Structures are given as structure tokens and as C-alpha cells.
């Protein structure tokens, strides 16, 4: 509203800029206590009140001097400059050994240093950087001849504190400047310079750092660029360990509960973040509500995270106000990018996601670019009888989709520019709001603390939250396409957690969205997670196209497959019988789609233990395949292996092995050794060989199957887990019990995590 020079009294070095997004009227009048500007002003006023104690102490010193004069004592020399006191260590501070040991290693090296000992503690506001540094100084103060504490929040304050430091040495330095202080330290030995809160972007510290190996420098900062002052001696202060977090909560709240379960849930909810835990502990101390705090927090999170820590609890600002200080310094485009990322999973956000989506024009695989009257859009000319409600809905969807794409282009550009995107990331990283990791293969991933994501979502109103969630969904849609032949599902595994993190209403905003997301869920074997989308797509197709439309029938079979692999076998059997009947009626029993559905039904029946009926259907399918397509077609060979698998289950191992060997040879010739159908056939043959006592060949084959599954699908895919389980059984049969037990335990743990306790594969 006004430039800085009009809002600040000239010469006031302690003036702080507070950004309020408001007009003149709204700067001084507030209608509700949850107004963002009101909360911000209130937080800063609370901080200023806390600082008043320092001024009061100075007045007491003067008053004591005057009392001394009245008693006949000599007049005090008020011009004497006292050194700036060290920051006190909070009585609630919890020791963080890994930070303490790192500072010790860098500032107190065992061997004579070649360069000046320096240590940079960097990280997001509220992580505990200042307290970690202060605690270390308190524990090691005797190892330094002089400790100089500097508030590095701005240039004027740095110079003022350095000037105070030099003048406090004695009257001979009464007119010394900050430059004299730097020169003095450069010649002195054994000192420690503590630059606290060097957060301001663009603030250069070079001229304030004494050039001497006989002293040490400790810096705390939110500005990641400061690590350049000590590239080999910096550490990111992040979330606390769970034990540290629980200890801090109990200290601040002054509680010693018999069970720590509630405490663990609380510290996890606030992301193990030091300042947020302190806020939680202060509230619990005040209300005596440890066991009910979590429910209160989840209901009133925004207010609680804006509540400043009371005096005596070692904090000034609230967690959210600390985040404000970093977020409000970001360029507008960087803020917009962070708002989108707030709706992705907090970890392992692929750099390639932004590139792939931008290159695709942010358009989903199944979404048509314009309404042409085809099967996908169902939009006809209104002159030919008017639009149906579905057509009107679709037309509105296209309009909304174009608006979303346009918004993404405004943030990331219509053409991919890696340099510009990196500039955005760098601006965010300077405030420690995002972390970057680079894998050995050069792939980059980003991480955002979950509490920062929550903070950003809480900044947004309901409509904005919906809008940015849709932008995140569209960003992911633009990076999805089916796997090409022979391609592994690595990319789908990378983006699956982010799709899973989206709100359900985004994933089911329209059928085209759901169909695209299902590509990823199916390729990663996330059947249970994808089931709601399959059900939604099926219901939509039934409503728009009718239950007997070929596209609807294919979706019906897709849903039955999802139910089958998700362990819901009874539902899968019922649905597959229904779709099988409809396919045979509409397309005929010899249609390839009908035969595929029959095979699916046989698989489900087999899993349900109805082996005889499964064998009957499989033999029928094989006969039809041989007659219509010939023996070398892939579908025929698959049908052959299915019959062999039934024979295996019925104990006819010799005949099963014979058919399986023939089928495997044909699949390798037609599809290659890495195709999923070939791998399935190889695994089935290995099972048969093991049961026939051919253990050496079975072990080698199971090992190969596991390697192929892991390479193509990843370690956590259900099919990979099946291969691991089979290999463990083979190892056991070979007498290698230790290896078998180790792998078996790993498989069980992964199945519990991925499939759930009640999934049939986990139970077995």
C-alpha cells in the first residue's frame, strides 16, 4: 500500500516489514478472529510484548545506579557497553545428538584446521536451529575465549551487534565500528561468532566474516544459499526423531503418561516439527488434555497452529507464522507451484512429472482435445434435437478442462523450459520450503514437509482448495500414458503415491480422469486402491451408454478383474458370470472378447476352489482358440497353459509339465522371454518341476522369474510378491531353510503393508 521508506521511521534499524494483503480500511479493522491479517498482526504484537522485558531490565539497571548515588556511592558510567547476552537455552530443550555431534566435528576439529572452522545449520522456520546452536554453545562455552552473538536478520542489525561486541571490550574501543570488530576478531584467537537467523534473501555475509583459522563461525538460517559459506560443513535441521519429539511434548506439557501412544499420534500428526510440538505441549499444559488433543487439533488445526507459544516456552512466533516468513518472500509463480504441490504426496515428487506434463500440454490420455461427436465425447449439434444432460455436462467439462490447462500453462509455461523451472525451484529452496535429491541415475525428486503442505492448504479457502487440487490432478494426468510393449512400470510406480494422495472427487471428476488414473493403478497392481474408480467408470458407462454396450461390457470385465486381484473373489465370480453371459449373448461364444471373459471366469473359479468347473471352461476355451486362431496365437498358448495349470492342481503333473514346456517354448518364440505371459508360464512350469522333485531346475527358473518380475514391476508389486513367495518355497524344498525363512518373512511383511491383513494372499 505504501513504500517502505514511508512506513518506517528513518534510522530505525529494527524495523520489520509486515506484508498485509489488504486495502487501507482492512489494515486496521477486522471482522473475525480467524482473519489472516488479524492473526499476523496479533502474532507480531505478541512478539513485541515479549521483547519488552529486555527494556524493563535496562531500566532497572539505571534505577539501581540512581539508588547507589542517593546512598553516596559513585555515579555509574552509563556509557559502559555490555556485550550482547547469549540466547538462553530453553528449559524444555531436548538434546538432538546428530546435530550436536555434527557441530562439534566442524567447529572443534581434532587436527589443526586448514580452513576456518564453520558450520551452517539450515532449514525451515520452527525446526529448532537456534536452540540447537544455543545448546551447543552453552555446552562448549569454556572452549572459546570470546563468544560473539549476532542477530543476522538484517544488515543493520548485524552491524549494530558487531559494533556492540567491539565496544564492550573496553573504553579504548568506544568509537570502534563493526569493521573494527571484524578486524579485531581476525587477529584474535579462540573466538566463536554466532550469526543467528541469517534468513533474508540477498543478504551477503562475506564482509562480516573474520578471515582467520583461529576462530570459528556458526550460522543458523532458513536461506539455503548460505550453505555456500561452508559447502562441506552444513547440516539441514529437519524433523525430530520420534523419541525426541515425544520427550519434547512431555517436557513442555509437564506430563509423564503411562502410555505414550497418544503422544506418538500427536507428534506424527504435526510432522515431528519442533515448534509445532512446542505449541501442542503448551496447549496440553494449559488444558490438561493429552488424550483429547489430537481430535481438537484435527478440528481446529489452523487456529492452533497460529497460536503463539506462551512466554517461558522458548518460542515467539507460531509454526504457521514462521512459515509465513518464508512463503511470503516467494515470487508469485513459486507460490502457485507450491499450492499445487500441497496436494501431491510430500515425498519423492519427480522432476520428470513437470516436464512430461508440460510436453503433453497437460492433457490426459483419454481426454479428447475437442468435441467431435465421436464415441468419447457424445456431443452432437444442438440443432439436431438439442443436447442431452450428459452432452451438456461433457461440454462444461471440456470448458473447465481448458481453464485448468490454461492455469497450468500460466505457472509452468506452454513449452517446457528447464532453466525457468529450475529458477522457480531455487527460489523455493532458498526459504527451505523444498528439498531436492538426485538419484545415482541422475533423476531428481523433490520433498516438502507435510506440515508445510498442510499450512498451504489451510491458507486457501474452500474453492481455492478445490481448484488447486484439480490443478494437481491435471498435472498428473498430463504425465500418464499406457506402457509400451516391453516397458517396465517404473514411471507409474513413481507417480502412483501422488495419484493416491489426490482427493477422491478429483480422481472421479469425470470418467476420462478415472480411466487415466486406472492405467497407473492397474500397472502397479494397486487393485484395491483402483476399485472405487473402476466402479465409478462402470456406473457412468451404464448410465450413458447402457449396460449392454460393448464399451460398458469391457469396463464390467475390467471391474471384475479388479475385484479378483483385490481378493474379493465372490464378488468377482458373480460379476464375471454376468459379463460372460452378456458377452456370449451379444457377441457370440466364439468372439475373442467372449473367450477372454470365459478365461477370466475360469481363473476366478479356480481361485475359489471350483477346479472341475474351471477345467471344463478352460478346455472349452482352448478348443475354440485352436479351431479359430490356430496353435501359435498368443491367446491359444495362454489357454493351453491354463489347462496345464488345472491339470497341475488335480495332480496330473507329468501331463501338465509336458503341456507347460510346449507352451513356454511357443511364448518365448512369439512374445519373447520378458513378456508377462511368458513369465507367468515360466513360474507355473517351475511349480510343476518342484512338485516332481526336479529341484535344481525349479530353483533356477523361480530365480529367473523373480528377477524378471522385480525388473518389470518393482519390488512391491503383488506379482513380484507372489514370485518371492514361490522362490521361498523352492528354497525350503531344497533344504536352504535360513534363506527361505528370511525371504518368507519379507514377503509376509510386504503383503501386510501392501495388500492388507485380510487379503487371501496375506492369510495364506
Amino acid at each position: 500500500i505504501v513504500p517502505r521508506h514511508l512506513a518506517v521511521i528513518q534510522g530505525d534499524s529494527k524495523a520489520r516489514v509486515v506484508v498485509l494483503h489488504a486495502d487501507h480500511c482492512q489494515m486496521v479493522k477486522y471482522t473475525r478472529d480467524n482473519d489472516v491479517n488479524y492473526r499476523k498482526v496479533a502474532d507480531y504484537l505478541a512478539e513485541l510484548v515479549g521483547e519488552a522485558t529486555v527494556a524493563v531490565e535496562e531500566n532497572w539497571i539505571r534505577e539501581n545506579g540512581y539508588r547507589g548515588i542517593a546512598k553516596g556511592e559513585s555515579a555509574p558510567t552509563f556509557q559502559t557497553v555490555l556485550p550482547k547476552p547469549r540466547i538462553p537455552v530453553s528449559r524444555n530443550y531436548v538434546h538432538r545428538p546428530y546435530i550436536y555431534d555434527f557441530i562439534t566435528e566442524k567447529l572443534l576439529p581434532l587436527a589443526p584446521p586448514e580452513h576456518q572452522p564453520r558450520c551452517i545449520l539450515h532449514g525451515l522456520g520452527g525446526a529448532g536451529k537456534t536452540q540447537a546452536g544455543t545448546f551447543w554453545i552453552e555446552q562448549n562455552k569454556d572452549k572459546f575465549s570470546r563468544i560473539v552473538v549476532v542477530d543476522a536478520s538484517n544488515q543493520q542489525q548485524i552491524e549494530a551487534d558487531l559494533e556492540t561486541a567491539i565496544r564492550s571490550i573496553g573504553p579504548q574501543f568506544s568509537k570502534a565500528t563493526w569493521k573494527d570488530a571484524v578486524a579485531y576478531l581476525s587477529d584474535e584467537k579462540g573466538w566463536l561468532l554466532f550469526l543467528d537467523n541469517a534468513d533474508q534473501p540477498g543478504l551477503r555475509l562475506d564482509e562480516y566474516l573474520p578471515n582467520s583459522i583461529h576462530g570459528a563461525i556458526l550460522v543458523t538460517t532458513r536461506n539455503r544459499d548460505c550453505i555456500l559459506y561452508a559447502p562441506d560443513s552444513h547440516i539441514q535441521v529437519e524433523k525430530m526423531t520420534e523419541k525426541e519429539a515425544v520427550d519434547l511434548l512431555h517436557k513442555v506439557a509437564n506430563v509423564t503418561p503411562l502410555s505414550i501412544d497418544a503422544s506418538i499420534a500427536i507428534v506424527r500428526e504435526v510432522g515431528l516439527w519442533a515448534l509445532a510440538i512446542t505449541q501442542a505441549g503448551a496447549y496440553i499444559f494449559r488444558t490438561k488434555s493429552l488424550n483429547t488433543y489430537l481430535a481438537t487439533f484435527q478440528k481446529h488445526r489452523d487456529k492452533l497452529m497460529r497460536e503463539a507459544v506462551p512466554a517461558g516456552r522458548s518460542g515467539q512466533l507460531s509454526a504457521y507464522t514462521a512459515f509465513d516468513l518464508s512463503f511470503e518472500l516467494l515470487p508469485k509463480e513459486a507460490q502457485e507451484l507450491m499450492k499445487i504441490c500441497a496436494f501431491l504426496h510430500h515425498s519423492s515428487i519427480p522432476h520428470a512429472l513437470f516436464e512430461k506434463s508440460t510436453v503433453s500440454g497437460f492433457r490426459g490420455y483419454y481426454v479428447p482435445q475437442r468435441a467431435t461427436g465421436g464415441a468419447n465425447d457424445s456431443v452432437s449439434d444442438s440443432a439436431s434435437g438439442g443436447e442431452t444432460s450428459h452432452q451438456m455436462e461433457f461440454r462444461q467439462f471440456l470448458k473447465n478442462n481448458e481453464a485448468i490447462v490454461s492455469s497450468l500453462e500460466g505457472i509452468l509455461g506452454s513449452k517446457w523450459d528447464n532453466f525457468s523451472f529450475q529458477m522457480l525451484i531455487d527460489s523455493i529452496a532458498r526459504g527451505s520450503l523444498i528439498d531436492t535429491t538426485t538419484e545415482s541415475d541422475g533423476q531428481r525428486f523433490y520433498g516438502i514437509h507435510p506440515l508445510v503442505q498442510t499450512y498451504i492448504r489451510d491458507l486457501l479457502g474452500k474453492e481455492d482448495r478445490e481448484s488447486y487440487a484439480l490443478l494437481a490432478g491435471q498435472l498428473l494426468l498430463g504425465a500418464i500414458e499406457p506402457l509400451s510393449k516391453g516397458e517396465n512400470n517404473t514411471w507409474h510406480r513413481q507417480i502412483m503415491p501422488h495419484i493416491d494422495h489426490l482427493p477422491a472427487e478429483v480422481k472421479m471428476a469425470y470418467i476420462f480422469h478415472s480411466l487415466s488414473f486406472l492405467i497407473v493403478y492397474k500397472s502397479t497392481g494397486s487393485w484395491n486402491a483402483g476399485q472405487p474408480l473402476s466402479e465409478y467408470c462402470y456406473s457412468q458407462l451404464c448410465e450413458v451408454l447402457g449396460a449392454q454396450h460393448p464399451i460398458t461390457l469391457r469396463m464390467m470385465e475390467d471391474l471384475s478383474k479388479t475385484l479378483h486381484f483385490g481378493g474379493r473373489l465372490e464378488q468377482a465370480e458373480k460379476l464375471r458370470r454376468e459379463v460372460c453371459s452378456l458377452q456370449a449373448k451379444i457377441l457370440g461364444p466364439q468372439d475373442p472378447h467372449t473367450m477372454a471373459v470365459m478365461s477370466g471366469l475360469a481363473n476366478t473359479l479356480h481361485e475359489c476352489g471350483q477346479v472341475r468347473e474351471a477345467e471344463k471352461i478352460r478346455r472349452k476355451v482352448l478348443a475354440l482358440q485352436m479351431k479359430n486362431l490356430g496353435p501359435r496365437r498368443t491367446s491359444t498358448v495362454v489357454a493351453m497353459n491354463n489347462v496345464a495349470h488345472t491339470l497341475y492342481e488335480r495332480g496330473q503333473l507329468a501331463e501338465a509339465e509336458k503341456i507347460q514346456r510346449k507352451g513356454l517354448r511357443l511364448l518365448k518364440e512369439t512374445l519373447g522371454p520378458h513378456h508377462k505371459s511368458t513369465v507367468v508360464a515360466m513360474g507355473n512350469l517351475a511349480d510343476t518341476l518342484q512338485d516332481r522333485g526336479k529341484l535344481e531346475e525349479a530353483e533356477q527358473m523361480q530365480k529367473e522369474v523373480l528377477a524378471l518380475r522385480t525388473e518389470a514391476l518393482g519390488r512391491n508389486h503383488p506379482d513380484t510378491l507372489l514370485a518371492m513367495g514361490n522362490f521361498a518355497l523352492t528354497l525350503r524344498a531344497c533344504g536352504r531353510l535360513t534363506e527361505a525363512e528370511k525371504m518368507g518373512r519379507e514377503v509376509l511383511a510386504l503383503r501386510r503393508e501392501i495388500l492388507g491383513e485380510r487379503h487371501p494372499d496375506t492369510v495364506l
Side-chain angles (χ1 to χ4, degrees):
I1 295 175
V2 296
R4 177 187 173 92
H5 71 275
L6 293 179
V8 178
I9 298 174
Q10 189 171 7
D12 183 5
S13 62
K14 296 184 178 181
R16 176 178 292 167
V17 176
V18 180
V19 180
L20 300 180
H21 299 289
D23 58 26
H24 286 78
C25 178
Q26 293 170 330
M27 287 182 66
V28 294
K29 293 174 65 178
Y30 307 100
T31 58
R32 59 188 191 278
D33 62 2
N34 64 348
D35 183 278
V36 173
N37 292 328
Y38 171 79
R39 290 180 300 190
K40 189 180 298 183
V41 171
D43 285 341
Y44 281 113
L45 288 175
E47 181 184 3
L48 290 173
V49 170
E51 293 172 351
T53 56
V54 177
V56 171
E57 182 178 357
E58 292 175 352
N59 287 333
W60 273 111
I61 293 173
R62 289 188 175 87
E63 289 293 330
N64 285 334
Y66 293 137
R67 291 189 186 96
I69 293 174
K71 294 176 181 178
E73 298 172 1
S74 60
T77 305
F78 293 112
Q79 288 73 27
T80 300
V81 178
L82 299 176
K84 184 170 183 173
R86 293 193 298 274
I87 302 166
V89 179
S90 167
R91 64 187 301 163
N92 298 315
Y93 183 75
V94 171
H95 183 40
R96 302 171 76 172
Y98 77 100
I99 301 174
Y100 185 94
D101 293 345
F102 184 87
I103 301 174
T104 302
E105 177 189 342
K106 299 303 178 183
L107 298 189
L108 297 173
L110 297 177
E114 296 181 6
H115 306 285
Q116 183 184 71
R118 294 181 179 181
C119 182
I120 313 294
L121 306 182
H122 62 95
L124 191 60
K129 303 179 294 294
T130 295
Q131 280 293 300
T134 299
F135 178 78
W136 186 90
I137 292 172
E138 184 63 28
Q139 298 299 309
N140 294 276
K141 59 187 177 184
D142 295 338
K143 297 181 175 67
F144 298 97
S145 61
R146 186 184 307 280
I147 297 174
V148 179
V149 178
V150 172
D151 177 355
S153 56
N154 59 63
Q155 180 179 349
Q156 294 84 357
Q157 192 61 51
I158 294 174
E159 294 175 1
D161 284 353
L162 286 172
E163 185 176 285
T164 298
I166 185 69
R167 293 184 179 186
S168 69
I169 296 175
Q172 69 272 33
F173 295 101
S174 61
K175 295 185 179 180
T177 66
W178 67 267
K179 292 183 179 179
D180 297 319
V182 174
Y184 183 88
L185 291 177
S186 296
D187 293 333
E188 195 182 40
K189 294 183 179 181
W191 49 266
L192 172 67
L193 176 60
F194 180 32
L195 293 159
D196 189 35
N197 292 325
D199 304 326
Q200 195 176 89
L203 177 65
R204 298 190 64 85
L205 299 178
D206 307 74
E207 57 186 338
Y208 305 119
L209 305 181
N211 184 21
S212 168
I213 64 170
H214 301 301
I217 296 175
L218 177 62
V219 180
T220 69
T221 178
R222 292 197 305 266
N223 185 356
R224 189 175 173 81
D225 284 354
C226 283
I227 67 177
L228 296 175
Y229 295 113
D232 58 346
S233 303
H234 63 88
I235 182 172
Q236 184 169 3
V237 181
E238 299 182 284
K239 60 186 180 182
M240 306 181 83
T241 67
E242 201 165 88
K243 182 182 183 307
E244 291 168 353
V246 169
D247 288 347
L248 176 59
L249 181 72
H250 291 172
K251 268 193 172 185
V252 177
N254 192 28
V255 296
T256 53
L258 295 176
S259 170
I260 63 171
D261 291 348
S263 303
I264 290 174
I266 290 169
V267 299
R268 287 176 178 174
E269 183 73 17
V270 298
L272 304 175
W273 207 247
L275 182 51
I277 295 166
T278 302
Q279 285 182 263
Y283 183 90
I284 293 167
F285 176 81
R286 190 170 71 247
T287 61
K288 311 301 180 187
S289 58
L290 176 65
N291 292 326
T292 60
Y293 177 80
L294 187 59
T296 303
F297 177 83
Q298 290 170 341
K299 187 176 181 180
H300 303 288
R301 179 185 59 228
D302 188 26
K303 288 184 178 180
L304 290 172
M305 286 292 95
R306 287 278 174 193
E307 189 175 82
V309 179
R313 299 293 175 179
S314 75
Q316 300 89 24
L317 304 180
S318 68
Y320 275 12
T321 305
F323 294 162
D324 285 338
L325 297 175
S326 295
F327 189 75
E328 290 175 356
L329 291 173
L330 297 181
K332 183 177 185 299
E333 293 81 2
Q335 289 187 8
E336 293 297 294
L337 179 60
M338 286 294 287
K339 290 173 184 176
I340 294 173
C341 291
F343 293 90
L344 301 175
H345 191 272
H346 66 88
S347 65
S348 300
I349 304 171
H351 172 87
L353 169 62
F354 304 96
E355 180 176 0
K356 285 176 179 283
S357 195
T358 304
V359 169
S360 76
F362 306 107
R363 300 187 185 277
Y365 180 77
Y366 282 113
V367 179
Q369 297 199 12
R370 61 187 179 88
T372 59
N376 274 349
D377 50 63
S378 304
V379 178
S380 60
D381 191 339
S382 58
S384 63
E387 290 183 324
T388 67
S389 61
H390 296 302
Q391 291 167 346
M392 293 174 64
E393 182 184 343
F394 179 77
R395 193 177 293 280
Q396 184 62 45
F397 161 75
L398 288 179
K399 182 179 178 180
N400 295 342
N401 200 68
E402 288 300 322
I404 292 171
V405 169
S406 179
S407 296
L408 285 170
E409 289 176 343
I411 299 168
L412 296 171
S414 57
K415 293 184 179 179
W416 176 248
D417 184 339
N418 193 67
F419 179 79
S420 297
F421 182 77
Q422 189 59 48
M423 294 288 285
L424 275 182
I425 294 296
D426 288 345
S427 68
I428 299 170
R430 286 190 192 100
S432 296
L433 290 167
I434 198 168
D435 299 320
T436 304
T437 56
T438 304
E439 301 291 329
S440 57
D441 59 1
Q443 292 189 81
R444 276 176 289 166
F445 296 89
Y446 305 113
I448 304 170
H449 193 280
L451 193 60
V452 173
Q453 290 184 308
T454 303
Y455 154 77
I456 294 172
R457 293 195 297 269
D458 285 344
L459 282 179
L460 305 172
K462 183 175 183 295
E463 290 186 6
D464 282 343
R465 281 197 295 271
E466 293 172 355
S467 297
Y468 284 102
L470 285 170
L471 287 174
Q474 195 67 40
L475 178 71
L476 286 158
L477 286 167
I480 296 172
E481 58 182 15
L483 300 177
S484 58
K485 185 177 180 180
E487 181 183 6
N488 65 37
N489 68 350
T490 300
W491 173 244
H492 287 176
R493 294 201 307 272
Q494 288 179 0
I495 62 175
M496 199 275 286
H498 305 291
I499 295 172
D500 217 28
H501 200 69
L502 291 173
E505 55 268 23
V506 172
K507 289 184 280 191
M508 293 185 280
Y510 205 76
I511 187 172
F512 296 125
H513 289 177
S514 299
L515 289 170
S516 291
F517 290 134
L518 278 171
I519 292 173
V520 176
Y521 279 125
K522 288 190 286 187
S523 81
T524 57
S526 305
W527 302 105
N528 289 332
Q531 183 183 333
L533 303 191
S534 294
E535 291 172 342
Y536 165 75
C537 290
Y538 175 57
S539 67
Q540 288 288 295
L541 289 172
C542 283
E543 184 179 342
V544 177
L545 301 177
Q548 298 189 14
H549 192 283
I551 295 177
T552 308
L553 292 177
R554 284 201 290 274
M555 192 66 233
M556 190 178 184
E557 167 57 14
D558 194 78
L559 174 57
S560 69
K561 185 186 297 183
T562 297
L563 292 168
H564 174 100
F565 288 114
R568 294 168 171 81
L569 297 178
E570 290 185 8
Q571 294 173 261
E573 178 189 347
K574 181 180 178 181
L575 196 60
R576 278 185 154 166
R577 286 189 186 278
E578 185 179 348
V579 72
C580 193
S581 175
L582 287 170
Q583 288 276 36
K585 177 182 176 182
I586 297 169
L587 302 177
Q590 299 190 30
D591 184 88
H593 289 299
T594 303
M595 288 188 280
V597 170
M598 290 171 65
S599 292
L601 173 59
N603 292 340
T604 301
L605 291 170
H606 188 276
E607 290 294 318
C608 290
Q610 303 176 48
V611 180
R612 288 187 178 276
E613 187 178 359
E615 180 184 358
K616 181 180 177 182
I617 295 173
R618 283 172 169 173
R619 288 190 180 277
K620 182 178 180 181
V621 170
L622 178 57
L624 289 170
Q625 294 278 20
M626 292 287 285
K627 176 183 177 182
N628 297 330
L629 303 175
R632 296 184 64 84
R633 286 290 290 269
T634 302
S635 55
T636 304
V637 180
V638 170
M640 186 186 303
N641 279 319
N642 286 339
V643 170
H645 189 55
T646 304
L647 293 171
Y648 166 82
E649 290 291 334
R650 296 190 65 186
Q652 301 175 32
L653 301 183
E655 186 179 356
E657 179 186 346
K658 180 179 178 181
I659 297 174
Q660 286 171 337
R661 286 191 184 277
K662 179 180 179 181
L664 180 59
R665 176 176 55 79
L666 289 170
L667 286 172
K668 285 183 175 180
E669 291 175 0
T670 55
L671 299 178
H674 294 83
H675 192 276
K676 61 181 181 180
S677 295
T678 308
V679 178
V680 170
M682 192 183 303
N684 290 340
L685 176 56
D687 290 341
T688 304
L689 293 172
Q690 179 180 323
D691 285 2
R692 297 202 71 193
K694 301 178 180 181
L695 298 180
E696 187 175 341
E697 186 180 1
E699 180 189 347
Q700 187 59 39
M701 200 168 285
Q702 294 283 24
K703 186 176 182 180
E704 186 177 355
V705 168
L706 178 56
L708 291 169
R709 287 294 196 200
T710 304
E711 179 185 358
L713 304 175
R715 191 75 167 172
N716 294 343
H717 193 283
D719 289 348
T720 308
L721 299 183
L722 178 63
M724 288 174 68
N726 290 338
F727 189 32
L729 292 174
T730 303
L731 290 172
R732 180 181 176 185
C734 292
R736 292 155 62 179
L737 301 182
T738 302
E739 294 175 68
E741 181 183 356
K742 181 180 178 182
M743 184 166 287
R745 289 184 181 277
E746 183 180 359
V747 171
L748 180 58
L750 287 170
R751 281 177 174 164
R752 283 174 172 164
E753 177 186 346
I754 297 163
L755 303 177
E757 292 281 356
R758 298 185 179 182
H759 192 281
D761 288 350
T762 305
V763 175
L764 291 174

